[in-house]
Amino acid sequence: MKHENGLIIVLSGFSGAGKGTIMKHLLASYPGEYCLSISATTRQMRDGEQEGREYFFKSREEFDAMIASRELLEYATFNGNSYGTPRDYVEKLVAEGKDVILEIEIQGALQVRELYPDALLLFVMPPSADELKERLVGRGTESPEVIAQRLAISARESQFMPQYDYLVVNDILDESVKQVHEIIQSEHYRVERNHLTIKKMQEDLKKFERSM
């Protein structure tokens, strides 16, 4: 069955839960199935980056104008730089029947849910809190103070988990990637997402009513 429209999918999770790794493997495992949304940002372009590939790079004035004209699905500011999801970019892909994944933080996810109640929200979590700490320590890139801060943030973020549609427990990576794929594919077959298909079947069946 051909899907009527693409889905807006939001993938969030605790720092260290592995949502970025899941995304990377999902795109590699199912080439052509999904589009990863590209954010607009006010931060400076880094060596090796390209406009429209990693980000859409904007000045502060341009970014604020996008907010004022409601051109962003969601936006947030981290460490003095703002990031947001361009609305036209996502809506164009969805209208073409493509599933678009937004890998964004909880604040942005809830903004998307307000605009698109039928967006699919997935939350990535580790098997346990202790495992989350081990993963952050295992990175070897952050001080104990920063790790403690990230864990404290995760504790606060956990209060928003019930507002998501599905939990993805990232224990074994390959299984988590498969789970995300299967959740998304199953969502396409929800009755409320297939009104046109239902209507067509109802119209086609009317010829049998006339023959009785």
Side-chain angles (χ1 to χ4, degrees):
M1 183 176 77
K2 186 180 184 298
H3 304 313
E4 292 179 8
N5 288 296
L7 301 180
I8 295 178
I9 303 141
V10 173
L11 192 70
S12 303
F14 304 128
S15 175
K19 59 185 181 294
T21 303
I22 287 176
M23 273 301 312
K24 178 181 177 181
H25 284 260
L26 182 72
L27 295 174
S29 298
Y30 304 96
E33 289 274 349
Y34 304 108
C35 296
L36 180 61
S37 176
I38 300 173
S39 297
T41 183
T42 59
R43 80 158 173 77
Q44 294 296 309
M45 185 185 300
R46 296 170 182 165
D47 290 343
E49 292 182 333
Q50 292 181 15
E51 168 71 17
R53 188 179 68 184
E54 282 79 16
Y55 291 98
F56 298 112
F57 294 94
K58 305 293 182 181
S59 66
R60 168 55 60 188
E61 293 74 18
E62 289 173 329
F63 196 92
D64 288 345
M66 293 179 76
I67 295 174
S69 58
R70 300 177 181 269
E71 294 178 43
L72 297 174
L73 290 180
E74 56 80 30
Y75 61 91
T77 299
F78 304 98
N79 300 321
N81 294 312
S82 294
Y83 300 82
T85 304
R87 189 169 189 160
D88 287 349
Y89 176 79
V90 172
E91 290 182 344
K92 179 177 181 295
L93 291 173
V94 169
E96 293 173 357
K98 297 176 181 176
D99 292 336
V100 185
I101 303 179
L102 285 62
E103 185 189 332
I104 55 179
E105 303 303 320
I106 292 172
Q107 176 184 342
L110 299 182
Q111 291 176 29
V112 172
R113 171 53 58 82
E114 286 186 9
L115 284 172
Y116 296 95
D118 62 344
L120 177 62
L121 271 57
L122 311 180
F123 194 94
V124 178
M125 59 175 284
S128 68
D130 288 338
E131 174 65 19
L132 180 63
K133 181 178 180 180
E134 287 184 18
R135 291 181 185 181
L136 290 172
V137 172
R139 287 176 172 178
T141 58
E142 296 163 335
S143 67
E145 292 76 18
V146 171
I147 290 173
Q149 183 181 43
R150 290 191 182 278
L151 291 170
I153 291 172
S154 294
R156 294 194 294 272
E157 290 178 336
S158 68
Q159 303 305 309
F160 296 96
M161 292 167 67
Q163 297 189 46
Y164 282 70
D165 299 306
Y166 292 90
L167 293 178
V168 177
V169 180
N170 186 22
D171 187 5
I172 300 173
L173 178 60
D174 288 346
E175 291 183 3
S176 298
V177 171
K178 182 180 178 182
Q179 181 185 0
V180 170
H181 174 69
E182 290 178 348
I183 289 172
I184 295 171
Q185 295 308 308
S186 295
E187 280 294 305
H188 275 291
Y189 294 94
R190 279 188 178 272
V191 167
E192 58 264 33
R193 299 188 191 276
N194 290 281
H195 297 302
L196 294 179
T197 300
I198 292 171
K199 184 176 180 180
K200 183 178 185 306
M201 176 59 74
Q202 291 170 335
E203 291 295 326
D204 288 349
L205 286 169
K206 285 181 179 179
K207 62 186 178 185
F208 297 115
E209 288 183 326
R210 291 192 294 268
S211 65
M212 292 179 66

